[in-house]
Amino acid sequence: MRLIIDTDTAGDDCFSVLLALAHPGVKLEALTICNGNVAFERQVENALYTLEAAGQGGNIPVYAGIPKPLMRPPLDAAYVFGLDGMSDANFPQAKQRPEAKHAVDAIIDLVMANPGEITLLAQAPLTNIGLAVAKEPRIAQALKALWIMGGTDNGLGNVTPAAEFNFYVDPEAARMVFQAGFNISLVTWTLTVASSEMSEADLAAVEAMETPLSRFFTTVNAAAVAFSRARYGHGGTLHPDSLACACLLDDSLITASEACVVEIETGGGLTRAYSSVSSSLLPDQEEADPALGVAGAPNARVIKAVDSAKFRRVLTDALR
Ligand code: BDR
Ligand code: CA
């Protein structure tokens, strides 16, 4: 599998990259950096350092993308991941430097030069992907698959009751991407909460492995542990980006999915970035309200359930 990861590299974003690097069937073609979790330049450094920590420094190009959302003020999640996004670990600067080419152009060029070949994992706000498909609409068909971590599946958000971080930061970009005609699989925050938790015991087992990558994981995850303790009273952590990556690497993790119509609210106040996910449990919308007309065709496969124990094993094994 030839893979690009679009990432706001901090915390779990790093672990998702490690998962992809650990998989023998994956050729990681590029990391592209999007605005999101922490200061943009820090995220570029975090991506470079993560590659170096995995013994891949100099092997995978890193491209800087769009440093802020299309229309909204920037928003970060440093309160979860630390100011540097790495639990303020003060890692040294990696030797590898970012490429001169813009991430949006790197995505377009890689996808258009290899039609039907490239899978893209979007684990950040969708600014880079939205602008890439605006600049070159043919990437929607040329990309083999677009996996997105974002949104909720009619559940509680993690920024507001209605919205998840990646969609909330740049709802307009998210809307553009879902309307562009990509072959989308969606891993939501709702699924993340249900199935991606590394418990305190899981984290202790990782720490006890005492490998370079388990130490990297434990160090980078420390702020999320502290956040979880303070807010929820336990030290388990959630791993949305790693879960999305694990699903794309191994379909057998997925135990239920549904083809859905997914739409992103851009006009709402309270519902800014709410992801409306259609459901077979609902009546046909033209019957429920004729004014709505017939629903459009599904535009995404929404992952509904995964083998959570297997996910935790896969993540742990990647750190051995
Ligand atoms: C998503 O938001 C970010 O903070 C995480 O990196 C993840 O991609 C979860 O809502
Ligand atoms: Ca992310």
Side-chain angles (χ1 to χ4, degrees), residues 19-43:
L19 268 181
L21 290 172
H23 198 283
V26 170
K27 180 168 189 299
L28 189 53
E29 299 277 346
L31 297 181
T32 56
I33 313 301
C34 193
N35 67 85
N37 280 325
V38 293
F40 186 77
E41 293 308 327
R42 271 311 328 156
Q43 298 179 157

Side-chain angles (χ1 to χ4, degrees), residues 44-235:
V44 176
E45 292 302 329
N46 295 346
L48 294 162
Y49 187 79
T50 301
L51 293 175
E52 192 167 286
Q56 295 288 346
N59 293 343
I60 293 142
V62 173
Y63 301 92
I66 310 284
K68 57 190 179 77
L70 293 181
M71 297 173 67
R72 316 267 180 163
L75 186 74
D76 66 47
Y79 62 94
V80 182
F81 301 115
L83 256 189
D84 74 348
M86 308 292 259
S87 301
D88 295 320
N90 286 316
F91 290 124
Q93 191 183 69
K95 280 206 190 67
Q96 185 184 337
R97 298 290 81 213
E99 307 301 308
K101 194 188 240 187
H102 196 282
V104 166
D105 294 317
I107 291 169
I108 292 171
D109 292 351
L110 265 164
V111 173
M112 293 312 292
N114 303 283
E117 283 285 309
I118 307 281
T119 296
L120 175 49
L121 169 58
Q123 57 182 39
L126 287 162
T127 321
N128 284 347
I129 320 294
L131 281 186
V133 76
K135 189 171 181 190
E136 178 45 277
R138 290 177 301 170
I139 67 167
Q141 266 68 51
L143 193 67
K144 184 176 180 192
L146 174 60
W147 282 78
I148 296 174
M149 189 287 126
T152 56
D153 187 356
N154 296 301
L156 186 68
N158 60 355
V159 178
T160 67
E164 176 278 338
F165 180 82
N166 287 340
F167 288 8
Y168 186 87
V169 169
D170 200 340
E172 286 74 20
R175 189 184 178 94
M176 284 163 72
V177 169
F178 276 89
Q179 290 183 348
F182 287 106
N183 169 22
I184 294 177
S185 295
L186 181 66
V187 169
T188 64
W189 182 252
T190 311
L191 184 71
T192 298
V193 172
S195 301
S196 78
E197 182 172 307
M198 291 286 279
S199 68
E200 289 187 30
D202 294 328
L203 297 176
V206 168
E207 191 170 5
M209 287 174 359
E210 294 258 353
T211 64
L213 286 183
S214 83
R215 278 186 216 109
F216 174 79
F217 176 96
T218 302
T219 302
V220 172
N221 203 41
V225 171
F227 175 81
S228 191
R229 271 196 215 292
R231 178 130 304 257
Y232 310 116
H234 67 80

Side-chain angles (χ1 to χ4, degrees), residues 6-10 12-14 36-37 81 122-125 149 164-166 240-241:
D6 188 77
T7 162
D8 51 343
T9 325
D12 186 53
D13 282 76
C14 306
N37 280 325
F81 301 115
Q123 57 182 39
M149 189 287 126
E164 176 278 338
F165 180 82
N166 287 340
D241 301 336

